[in-house]
Amino acid sequence: LRLTASSPRLAMDVAGAGDPLVFLHGIGGNRSNWSGQLDALSDQFRCVAFDFRGYGDSEDGPNTLDFFDFVDDVRHVLEANKISRCHLFGLSMGGLVAQAYYVRHPANVLSLGLIGCRPGSSPVFENSKAFA
């Protein structure tokens, strides 16, 4: 278990070396959802699984939470691990976050793995600052 240095402090597990694979959990989940993937893939990749703010061992965010705060969590974790480009995998809500992160930072995403989620469309992204 590692924590990011700045607030909100986000809990993460990091294993292995190589191209980074970053795993995003869904609602009701946490970084432990990906422990099997970290075990299986860390011999070839640098695997990072973290708890979004308010989940698992991470701190809560501000009183008014916006969906795009979770997108900022991805950026925060990547910066804390000095990762500029990664393969991004998201489950359910994590898949929506992965899509929104890609829209904002396409050059930072090597590939997207979207599992059990819908396309990033209304109501989440309609009239959204994600496309600003």
Side-chain angles (χ1 to χ4, degrees):
L1 168 68
R2 290 179 36 203
L3 294 171
T4 57
S6 59
S7 185
R9 296 190 60 175
L10 304 175
M12 68 184 109
D13 293 329
V14 181
D19 285 346
L21 307 180
V22 178
F23 298 95
L24 311 178
H25 65 79
I27 291 176
N30 59 51
R31 71 186 189 283
S32 70
N33 296 133
W34 301 104
S35 60
Q37 284 74 20
L38 268 66
D39 289 342
L41 298 170
S42 63
D43 62 335
Q44 297 176 28
F45 299 95
R46 182 177 178 197
C47 299
V48 179
F50 71 95
D51 296 332
F52 286 116
R53 61 183 73 201
Y55 286 87
D57 294 316
S58 289
E59 291 180 343
D60 287 333
N63 291 336
T64 55
L65 183 64
D66 182 89
F67 173 82
F68 296 97
D69 290 335
F70 296 125
V71 177
D72 291 338
D73 289 347
V74 175
R75 181 187 50 78
H76 189 60
V77 166
L78 293 178
E79 287 174 357
N81 287 285
K82 296 178 176 50
I83 295 172
S84 59
R85 299 180 72 206
C86 69
H87 300 281
L88 197 55
F89 293 87
L91 170 66
S92 190
M93 177 192 80
L96 292 174
V97 173
Q99 291 173 72
Y101 182 84
Y102 175 74
V103 167
R104 285 187 170 176
H105 309 284
N108 297 18
V109 178
L110 296 167
S111 67
L112 282 174
L114 305 173
I115 306 145
C117 68
R118 62 183 170 81
S121 59
S122 63
V124 174
F125 298 125
E126 190 173 295
N127 300 319
S128 167
K129 65 183 180 183
F131 299 104

